[in-house]
Amino acid sequence: MGNILDGKALSAVVKDEVRSEVAELEKKYGRKPCLCVIIVGENPASQVYVRNKVKAAAYTGMESLLIELPASVSEEELLRKISELNSDDSVDGILVQLPLPKHIDEEKVIDAIAPEKDVDGFHPSNVAGLWLGKDCIVPCTPAGVMRLLDSAGIDLCGKTAVVVGRSNIVGKPVAKLLLDRNATVVIAHSRTADLGAVTRQADVLVVAVGRAGLITGDMVKPGAVIIDVGMNRDAEGKLCGDVDFASCSEKASWITPVPGGVGPMTIAMLMKNTIRCFRARV
Ligand code: NDP
């Protein structure tokens, strides 16, 4: 059985790092970093994520501001709110929880957030920065994946890394971060002809698809490091990943569980990104 990459334990370490940083920053600058989270509507999954983000912010001692808008809010009104927060000096980070109701254009909303307050790292100028190798805000989930790999001392140089999924928020940025560490990166997706043949090449396998049990033990190279980003509900409503843990953990050298793997790291890295935004603004 592979070693567990324990995201819950590591996220506690990261949040404690942030907590000390918050205390130092307050002493030095006379104010604490402030994260503003906007939620539109009542999507139950989004409500849980937002609650956890605000809870984590409270733990670290930073300020947080939760803005709850009704599902009926107009795009114009949401954009106005973002513009207000952009020019509010006491706000360091702005996060709009996705998905948004159908009548709101997500791209317009992301574009409206000031890049220096874009704690999710989704704004085009941060995305460009990542791909151009500039020092910029990196999306939280990919940053969390890298921190997990680093915590186990996994050397990526020259390794074959396969990323399954090519979304803008996980697949693509995590692939770029792996490339930056000199891994040979392959990105697989829904049109990949023989997924198992590709994943079996992976020394490091990162799966971000959203399909429970997509990756089974026969699709994994012995000794692989497996990072499961997926968050799905099984038939009983229990949280599970994209990786069949029972069969894959037998072959892996390291593997993340779900829950308790990437999920908590995403929130911890959001705290780190808020600190980064604060430092860039003071
Ligand atoms: P998206 O739906 O945006 O992207 C899914 C990707 O998976 C697409 O690129 C798609 O390919 C690919 N895909 C779909 N079916 C297959 C298949 N059968 N074989 C190979 N690839 C396939 O999802 P996200 O990236 O936003 O999220 C992925 C998962 O990660 C979800 O379960 C989500 O809940 C979870 N998540 C977890 C986070 C955490 O903190 N733990 C944070 C963010 C997401 P194509 O492009 O061809 O359509």
Side-chain angles (χ1 to χ4, degrees), residues 1-38:
M1 159 110 172
N3 297 298
I4 299 292
L5 269 172
D6 186 342
K8 195 169 172 210
L10 183 58
S11 73
V13 171
V14 174
K15 283 189 285 183
D16 281 337
E17 283 169 16
V18 172
R19 198 176 151 108
S20 342
E21 279 182 87
V22 168
E24 272 168 38
L25 291 171
E26 189 186 14
K27 216 182 282 168
K28 188 161 175 197
Y29 298 104
R31 77 171 183 90
K32 299 171 176 184
C34 172
L35 171 65
C36 178
V37 180
I38 303 179

Side-chain angles (χ1 to χ4, degrees), residues 13 50 56 71 83 99 107 139 142 156 163 167 193 197 212 216 225 240 259:
V13 171
V50 161
S83 161
E107 210 177 309
L156 293 160
V163 178
S167 71
T216 45
V225 176
C240 64

Side-chain angles (χ1 to χ4, degrees), residues 141 164-167 169 189-190 208-211 229-232 263 266:
T141 302
V164 189
R166 54 174 165 182
S167 71
I169 65 168
H189 46 76
S190 68
V209 170
R211 279 192 51 184
V229 181
M231 288 210 287
N232 313 290
T266 295

Side-chain angles (χ1 to χ4, degrees), residues 46-85:
S46 293
Q47 284 177 325
V48 173
Y49 299 149
V50 161
R51 218 179 301 136
N52 288 339
K53 289 169 185 175
V54 170
K55 213 166 101 187
Y59 176 80
T60 65
M62 67 175 69
E63 300 284 351
S64 66
L65 199 63
L66 174 61
I67 299 181
E68 294 171 283
L69 299 172
S72 61
V73 73
S74 68
E75 183 181 282
E76 200 189 354
E77 208 172 319
L78 176 58
L79 292 175
R80 203 168 34 240
K81 191 76 224 167
I82 292 170
S83 161
E84 245 173 69
L85 295 165

Side-chain angles (χ1 to χ4, degrees), residues 103-138:
H103 66 278
I104 301 179
D105 183 344
E106 281 185 1
E107 210 177 309
K108 258 195 203 165
V109 170
I110 291 168
D111 289 0
I113 297 171
E116 68 277 13
K117 296 191 179 187
D118 169 37
V119 277
D120 260 337
F122 294 164
H123 188 281
S125 68
N126 283 316
V127 176
L130 176 67
W131 285 93
L132 294 171
K134 294 189 175 169
D135 183 24
C136 63
I137 303 166
V138 173

